[in-house]
Amino acid sequence: MADITTTLCGIPLRSPLILASGPLSWNAEGIRTAFAAGAAAVVTKTIRPDATVNPVPHIAAAGRGSLLNTEGWSDLPARRWIEHELPALRDRDGVLIASTGHTPAEVAELAAPLANAGADMLELVSYRAEDAAPMVAAAKRAGDIPVLVKVSANWPDLVQIVGDCLAAGADGVTAIDSIGPALRIDVESGRPTLGAFAWYSGESIRPIALRAVAQIRLAYDVPVVGTGGVARAEDVVEMVMAGATAVGTHTAPLLQGMAWFGKTQTHLDAWLEGHGHSDLAGLRGAALPHLREIVPHTPLRFAFDVDLCTACRRCVTVCAYRARQLQLDRRMALDETLCRSCGLCLTVCPTRALSLID
Ligand SMILES: Cc1cc2nc3c(=O)[nH]c(=O)nc-3n(C[C@H](O)[C@H](O)[C@H](O)COP(=O)(O)O)c2cc1C
Ligand code: SF4
Ligand code: SF4
């Protein structure tokens, strides 16, 4: 079996899989279920002094493994978390991360009570970028458990904000929160899905999350919980290759059920073994050096394996320049005077019949 353990801000995790903040971690029972299903760590729903009142409805499927939501923070008040939900998890089998925010004053009020009630770590979240570093400073003044700061890909000066948070004492970063505001419209009724602008999560946002993780890791040597659109074992590997130390997810287990954790852990182990890797940690940041490479301008040179080709013609269809022809005898013809080396045909081939010659 491959070694999939990791260490986040000095705390060992039995796997990189973390249940990110959201409705599945709404109370002690939800969190206990996640640990039992195999989550190595769980982030609580965001805890603020007062409970939120969510609009009805407030979560909708948005296609392609993605969701829209207009959900606020926890609908249990902080007092309830501190007196009942967190103490009820004292015998847990996993790492408990209390999410709180959204202002420095609230963090100053709640950081120590949440730690005393049993949280192993804090995760601070706010919609306002300018609150991030002051929240970290408030948490560090209040106690000594590790502090993650959750960042949004919406923030244009993301790397600078992370730098400010590290200067304020952050031990790690969770990247990213849901994206938005976003909009879908039900064309039958002509009404906006959920009746409002909403937050977008799930598979559609993974490329944006990966970009944020990589940007942070190119700038700083800091543990990052890569979060956003992770839905299968290969996505976990992709996040780790972007530089993540651990991987958060909420939409996938919400849509597929909590058994997602056990299934994904098994597939992750099989993927690593199948690709000859003895551990996951060895892949961390594997893609980052390539982001610094000089962009080449030499034409692409293709290899074509007729035995792998299923004659699906996808490579022919997607070529904007009509450079490819699949002959009746299944020979692949490429007109090099037309080919602009855009690379699209390679990436749509389902069987890797097309590949690059270095
Ligand atoms: C319904 C829903 C509620 C969420 N509530 C919170 C929250 O209270 N606090 C928070 O920091 N993130 C919250 N999130 C964001 C997730 O923790 C996560 O950052 C985001 O959804 C991207 O990950 P995913 O694509 O795996 O879901 C919520 C996400 C969803 C889908
Ligand atoms: S690299 Fe682009 S231009 Fe060249 S054959 Fe493929 S799709 Fe066409
Ligand atoms: S996309 Fe791949 S499998 Fe399909 S015709 Fe082209 S080379 Fe063959």
Side-chain angles (χ1 to χ4, degrees):
M1 274 190 33
D3 179 3
I4 58 168
T5 59
T6 186
T7 301
L8 180 64
C9 307
I11 299 184
L13 300 184
R14 60 173 174 260
S15 88
L17 302 180
I18 297 180
L19 176 64
S21 180
L24 291 173
S25 52
W26 78 277
N27 71 351
E29 203 43 49
I31 293 168
R32 199 181 288 288
T33 306
F35 284 133
V42 176
V43 187
T44 67
K45 182 74 193 163
T46 297
I47 302 165
R48 299 184 74 178
D50 297 319
T52 193
V53 178
N54 286 314
V56 174
H58 53 264
I59 310 180
R64 298 186 189 89
S66 299
L67 292 175
L68 286 173
N69 84 83
T70 52
E71 191 168 291
W73 55 98
S74 175
D75 58 8
L76 303 177
R79 210 184 140 121
R80 166 91 197 184
W81 280 99
I82 291 160
E83 291 178 2
H84 297 282
E85 308 306 322
L86 299 180
L89 290 161
R90 283 214 190 276
D91 61 345
R92 66 186 170 273
D93 179 20
V95 174
L96 180 58
I97 305 174
S99 167
T100 188
H102 294 178
T103 67
E106 285 168 291
V107 172
E109 176 186 338
L110 295 179
L114 291 172
N116 293 338
D120 298 307
M121 227 184 271
L122 295 175
E123 182 178 277
L124 310 178
V125 64
S126 176
Y127 300 127
R128 289 160 37 97
E130 57 272 34
D131 279 340
M135 287 194 310
V136 172
K140 293 308 273 188
R141 274 194 300 275
D144 57 6
I145 62 171
V147 172
L148 297 168
V149 61
K150 190 170 190 179
V151 297
S152 166
N154 295 344
W155 299 342
D157 41 2
L158 173 65
V159 171
Q160 179 59 50
I161 291 160
V162 169
D164 295 345
C165 290
L166 295 179
D171 299 281
V173 180
T174 299
I176 56 176
D177 208 337
S178 342
I179 284 182
L183 178 66
R184 290 289 305 269
I185 294 166
D186 175 356
V187 294
E188 299 303 325
S189 68
R191 289 170 185 270
T193 302
L194 298 176
F197 296 122
W199 300 102
Y200 197 33
S201 65
E203 293 193 51
S204 317
I205 75 166
R206 192 170 68 257
I208 298 172
L210 286 160
R211 180 270 294 173
V213 172
Q215 271 186 319
I216 294 165
R217 289 292 279 100
L218 283 170
Y220 310 107
D221 186 12
V222 59
V224 176
V225 182
T227 305
V230 170
R232 55 186 73 76
E234 288 85 343
D235 306 342
V236 175
V237 175
E238 197 177 7
M239 273 294 176
V240 170
M241 287 180 167
T245 293
V247 172
T249 181
H250 203 95
T251 298
L254 189 54
L255 283 172
Q256 298 179 35
M258 212 70 107
W260 182 88
F261 281 98
K263 200 179 65 188
T264 304
Q265 185 169 324
T266 305
H267 288 169
L268 179 60
D269 185 47
W271 191 94
L272 289 167
E273 288 218 335
H275 288 74
H277 301 294
S278 57
D279 63 17
L280 184 63
L283 298 177
R284 187 171 310 136
L288 297 178
H290 303 294
L291 277 167
R292 296 196 184 99
E293 278 172 2
I294 295 165
V295 181
H297 290 285
T298 45
L300 295 177
R301 294 197 307 130
F302 296 96
F304 173 66
D305 186 334
V306 67
D307 294 332
L308 289 178
C309 179
T310 58
C312 72
R313 298 182 58 83
R314 283 186 208 172
C315 57
V316 176
T317 304
V318 301
C319 181
Y321 308 104
R322 299 287 157 253
R324 280 198 184 279
Q325 295 281 337
L326 187 61
Q327 317 283 20
L328 285 178
D329 61 0
R330 296 188 53 217
R331 228 171 17 91
M332 177 66 71
L334 175 69
D335 184 338
E336 290 178 1
T337 62
L338 292 176
C339 176
R340 303 280 220 287
S341 292
C342 75
L344 178 57
C345 53
L346 273 176
T347 57
V348 298
C349 178
T351 62
R352 296 189 183 239
L354 283 180
S355 59
L356 281 186
I357 303 169
D358 285 332

